[in-house]
Amino acid sequence: MEIWNEILGNQVLVCSVAGWTVAQVLKIIIDVVLNRSFNPERLFGSGGMPSSHSATVCALTTASGLKYGVGSFEFAISFVVAMVVMYDAMGVRRETGKQAQLLNSVFFENILNLDGVLLQEKLKEYVGHTPLQVAAGAVLGIGMTLVISSFY
């Protein structure tokens, strides 16, 4: 029982996990509203609005700054990790999603009349994020941390 008190007493961890959780729930709600159907893959899948990766790392960075100060190594490490994660989400991961979309249309719609070339399953197209999705995740993570930190 003491372990749960320690976990729930860890402001940085609670803020980070809460940022991820709220972002994933919002992602599902937005997907249901836009597509009028529930896709269970959206619960743990990447991509979409808002970026749960951005929400998580921005909550981590903000909580570290509040708890340890912006001059601390905890803040410095989390800040650098946040920049790498958000840059990657808008860059490499976004391009990967675009390429998956193109390959899925080539192989499953057979627009090039390819014989004998088959994919076992569709490639995941929701991999990266637009800059707006990353920014929304960042604002969500920072906001969640400011609210949660008021209870610590």
Side-chain angles (χ1 to χ4, degrees):
M1 192 65 173
E2 188 172 320
I3 192 166
W4 285 109
N5 290 334
E6 288 184 39
I7 289 172
L8 294 175
N10 187 330
Q11 174 184 351
V12 176
L13 178 63
V14 169
C15 290
S16 301
V17 172
W20 178 83
T21 303
V22 171
Q24 287 299 115
V25 169
L26 284 174
K27 196 180 294 190
I28 293 168
I29 293 169
I30 291 169
D31 189 60
V32 166
V33 168
L34 292 178
N35 297 319
R36 304 208 189 291
S37 65
F38 174 72
N39 181 358
E41 198 260 63
R42 302 306 309 140
L43 182 59
F44 295 105
S46 57
M49 172 66 98
S51 167
S52 57
H53 288 87
S54 295
T56 304
V57 295
C58 284
L60 173 71
T61 302
T62 305
S64 294
L66 291 173
K67 176 100 174 148
Y68 304 108
V70 294
S72 67
F73 77 90
E74 291 93 346
F75 177 80
I77 291 169
S78 59
F79 182 85
V80 170
V81 168
M83 293 299 104
V84 169
V85 167
M86 292 188 295
Y87 179 80
D88 182 61
M90 292 184 295
V92 175
R93 287 182 43 234
R94 185 170 179 212
E95 290 303 316
T96 300
K98 288 178 183 178
Q99 292 171 5
Q101 193 173 29
L102 177 64
L103 287 171
N104 284 337
S105 67
V106 166
F107 288 114
F108 288 99
E109 296 170 20
N110 203 16
I111 59 176
L112 297 178
N113 295 323
L114 298 172
D115 291 326
V117 180
L118 297 172
L119 290 176
Q120 296 294 327
E121 58 186 62
K122 283 186 93 171
L123 300 170
K124 291 183 181 179
E125 296 176 6
Y126 291 109
V127 182
H129 295 282
T130 65
L132 178 62
Q133 292 169 339
V134 170
V139 169
L140 175 65
I142 293 167
M144 288 289 304
T145 299
L146 294 175
V147 170
I148 291 170
S149 291
S150 66
F151 296 104
Y152 281 88

